[in-house]
Amino acid sequence: MSTATLAGASALGGWRWPLHAAPPDDRRFAFEHLIAHARGLADPPYDSPESRHAALLDELGYDTFMGIHADREHSLWHGADLPVTVEFFQLDQNARVPVALHVVDADGRARRLDYRPSLFRYDDPELEQRLPADLGFAGFRVRDAAGDRREWCAFKGASYFRSPGARDQYGLSARGVAVDTGYGAEESFPHFTAYWLLRPAPGDTTLTVCALLEGEDLTGAYRFEIGERGAVMDVESHLFQRHGIRRLGIAPLTSMFWFSETNARRGTDWRPELHDSDGLAMITGRGEHLWRALGNPPRTHYSAFGDTDPRAFGLLQRDRDFDHYQDAAVHYERRPSLWVTPRGDWGPGHVGLLELPTAEEVYDNINAFWVPEGSDRADHRWRFDYRLDWRDRAAPASGRAQVVATRTGRAGDPGSYDDQSVLARKFVIDFEGGALPRLADDTTLDVRASASHGDIVNPYARRVAGTPRWRAFFDWSGALPPADEPVELRCVLARGDRLLTETWLFAYFPQALPTQIFHPEENA
């Protein structure tokens, strides 16, 4: 926590103060007072921000946005011998609410940064002349001040932010908070309405950013300690509810999954796989390691994994083979994984996974977050501290093999397909790591598979010849589950009393399969 005291309202550009937290005379910034301010804002009714220049923003779509560039000479701390510089984003079609940006100098004094169109360069020289002087900032990006000027992270739109991770490739995003995600039009998107960037010292390796969150349902104060060139963020968050929330999402992650080897034959694209993340990983409060393979369901599907004091969860991109994607432009094999590691006790609740159907790669259709018990009560106050780690090596070691691929196909063996139900399905799961490479090829492993509906048929496992991987096989057979529900599947490899792998989970929708099997002889 900062020991500095708070800056005055005039120094912060008209920042409204709660009545019980009047600023002291020395006009310095302190995170403690930002917390008090957020608490005070939760009492009166929400004052929705106005979106100015709506017609102009409608014109500032993706192509126009890509033609607007931050002027390096006008970046914050340019030439100041500091570890980072900060560039700014203008408002556009997808980020329409202006944010207040402040810089906190070494002595703790805060000053607001003024927006000017001249802070940017434009591919279209006429665009700068058309932009009003009060258009405003949409957010900012942090760059390394070293010669490569690698991006650390970016904050832009609602409470979204992201990092390119250790592989220097943007992919999934994080958010400050999620409210009623999965309830369609009832979902709301609180905004980071103001940021304070604390000036680092020349030898620092971290950047501190504080943010004020405002929304119809809650307010909040956030402190981000950003290190490892943006790949690690320690977050302290304080939330104050205005009223009850059905689904409060803490440390929410947003990603994209269209198809992989699991469901590639449904894809219409020439590339073999298209996804920013291929699974939800969880380490429960009891220490169980779970891997929920992602899917592209036929309808919106929400899964709740109950837990108390979770140790970690995250959306991961485990498949790092370029040949599996074949896209040299956007490099899905480099997309970062993102682990959330809670600090302190988070109590009872569940990890929520929302999967939405998609037929394109441009939509983020995957959401994961922690939902604490008790958010349905009004006037609730929360504190959640956690680490966000965008590095592949962030997964805590378990000593157990991990899932590296999930494949599905028609049940049965070649030549026996006609004897199988159209709904029956074969599942093939590859595991790698842990003790598996040291096992003899003729080792017999126990495939512990189960299903919420129907039956598991012929489970077995064997080594994939010439590799350290082991592959589990089983068929699922049964009738359609009730109420359009999926079949929830579970599988783990064991040897005697010893579990050798993490637990694989999957939601199978037999309702989405074709109603009949094609037979060439019938169409000759």
Side-chain angles (χ1 to χ4, degrees):
M1 291 282 189
S2 171
T3 57
T5 51
L6 189 63
S10 60
L12 293 178
W15 189 32
R16 296 167 294 168
W17 294 98
L19 296 178
H20 57 281
D25 294 336
D26 58 354
R27 303 161 71 106
R28 297 173 186 262
F29 178 81
F31 183 58
E32 294 88 342
H33 289 87
L34 180 59
I35 298 170
H37 179 59
R39 183 187 303 116
L41 289 177
D43 292 333
Y46 176 58
D47 185 12
S48 177
E50 296 182 4
S51 178
R52 304 189 302 265
H53 311 295
L56 175 62
L57 293 179
D58 287 340
E59 301 177 23
L60 301 182
Y62 178 79
D63 291 338
T64 304
F65 171 76
M66 295 302 294
I68 301 175
H69 313 280
D71 190 331
R72 183 177 180 182
E73 299 295 323
H74 289 98
S75 61
L76 180 64
W77 302 319
H78 173 66
D81 192 28
L82 297 179
V84 296
T85 61
V86 180
E87 298 174 349
F88 311 113
F89 295 118
Q90 296 203 64
L91 295 182
D92 59 41
Q93 190 177 80
N94 297 313
R96 309 174 75 94
V97 178
V99 300
L101 299 180
H102 308 86
V103 59
V104 181
D105 291 327
D107 62 359
R109 298 180 185 274
R111 52 188 172 88
R112 182 164 178 167
L113 301 175
D114 294 327
Y115 165 83
R116 301 190 308 277
S118 60
L119 295 174
F120 305 87
R121 295 180 291 103
Y122 304 87
D123 290 349
D124 179 358
E126 297 182 359
L127 181 59
E128 180 179 357
Q129 305 303 318
R130 297 176 53 217
L131 294 179
D134 65 343
L135 183 63
F137 296 115
F140 61 92
R141 66 157 59 96
V142 180
R143 287 190 182 274
D144 200 296
D148 62 0
R149 300 187 67 243
R150 179 186 176 277
E151 289 192 35
W152 281 30
C153 58
F155 288 71
K156 179 176 182 284
S159 66
Y160 284 90
F161 58 96
R162 59 181 183 160
S163 165
R167 297 175 184 265
D168 198 23
Q169 178 67 56
Y170 278 116
L172 80 170
S173 300
R175 279 194 278 172
V177 71
V179 176
D180 288 340
T181 300
Y183 287 106
E186 297 180 38
E187 180 176 4
S188 65
F189 293 86
H191 284 76
F192 285 144
T193 57
Y195 295 95
W196 288 261
L197 296 93
L198 278 63
R199 181 186 177 100
D204 285 351
T205 58
T206 62
L207 173 68
T208 300
V209 175
C210 298
L212 174 66
L213 182 85
E214 296 187 77
E216 182 178 357
D217 305 280
L218 46 68
T219 62
Y222 287 72
R223 181 184 180 95
F224 300 88
E225 296 287 349
I226 304 170
E228 296 286 337
R229 302 183 80 189
V232 177
M233 302 177 182
D234 289 317
V235 183
E236 178 182 339
S237 65
H238 300 257
L239 297 171
F240 308 95
Q241 290 186 208
R242 299 179 187 275
H243 50 71
I245 296 173
R246 285 189 291 178
R247 185 177 291 160
L248 175 63
I250 303 301
L253 316 179
T254 301
S255 191
M256 181 276 292
F257 180 94
W258 186 5
F259 57 87
S260 70
E261 77 278 353
T262 309
N263 63 334
R265 278 162 289 187
R266 299 187 204 170
T268 58
D269 195 271
W270 63 270
R271 293 161 290 182
E273 299 187 35
L274 284 173
H275 50 80
D276 285 338
S277 308
D278 50 12
L280 167 66
M282 293 167 279
I283 304 176
T284 69
R286 300 183 302 277
E288 185 179 12
H289 287 241
L290 306 174
W291 173 260
R292 169 58 156 75
L294 295 180
N296 184 359
R299 59 169 177 79
T300 299
H301 180 58
Y302 184 76
S303 301
F305 304 94
D307 199 5
T308 298
D309 296 332
R311 298 187 187 180
F313 66 91
L315 291 174
L316 309 188
Q317 183 77 316
R318 282 185 174 169
D319 191 339
R320 297 298 183 185
D321 191 333
F322 170 79
D323 287 342
H324 294 178
Y325 303 95
Q326 290 292 330
D327 195 324
V330 298
H331 289 290
Y332 285 106
E333 78 280 1
R334 297 182 189 170
R335 300 296 171 107
S337 297
L338 181 50
W339 271 103
V340 179
T341 304
R343 300 290 178 82
D345 297 335
W346 279 22
H350 70 264
V351 174
L353 173 65
L354 178 71
E355 297 167 292
L356 303 170
T358 188
E360 293 189 58
E361 64 190 292
V362 297
Y363 300 110
D364 286 337
N365 63 316
I366 303 295
N367 291 269
F369 37 73
W370 173 254
V371 180
E373 287 188 4
S375 64
D376 56 334
R377 302 195 304 270
D379 303 325
H380 205 113
R381 299 178 180 180
W382 305 93
R383 174 172 176 174
F384 292 97
D385 296 349
Y386 51 94
R387 167 166 284 191
L388 296 175
D389 203 322
W390 309 75
R391 302 171 298 177
D392 289 345
R393 66 177 184 270
S398 67
R400 297 179 184 175
Q402 295 182 336
V403 177
V404 293
T406 299
R407 298 178 175 87
T408 68
R410 291 168 59 183
D413 297 321
S416 69
Y417 294 140
D418 290 347
D419 300 328
Q420 306 299 322
S421 164
V422 174
L423 300 180
R425 202 73 174 161
K426 181 180 295 295
F427 291 87
V428 181
I429 308 144
D430 285 1
F431 296 90
E432 187 174 284
L436 293 183
R438 300 189 296 272
L439 299 179
D441 289 358
D442 59 354
T443 302
T444 299
L445 297 184
D446 182 14
V447 179
R448 299 179 182 175
S450 61
S452 59
H453 305 283
D455 300 310
I456 300 296
V457 180
N458 192 29
Y460 65 95
R462 63 188 178 203
R463 183 187 295 278
V464 181
T467 77
R469 294 185 177 185
W470 281 72
R471 180 168 289 171
F473 300 80
F474 65 84
D475 289 353
W476 175 88
S477 175
L480 286 175
D484 201 29
E485 296 177 7
V487 178
E488 299 289 351
L489 297 166
R490 185 181 183 98
C491 179
V492 63
L493 296 186
R495 190 181 185 192
D497 295 332
R498 182 186 178 191
L499 297 180
L500 300 177
T501 70
E502 64 186 358
T503 302
W504 170 89
L505 306 172
F506 190 71
Y508 166 51
F509 286 85
Q511 303 90 341
L513 290 178
T515 57
Q516 61 183 9
I517 296 177
F518 176 79
H519 295 285
E521 66 275 10
E522 296 176 2
N523 293 272

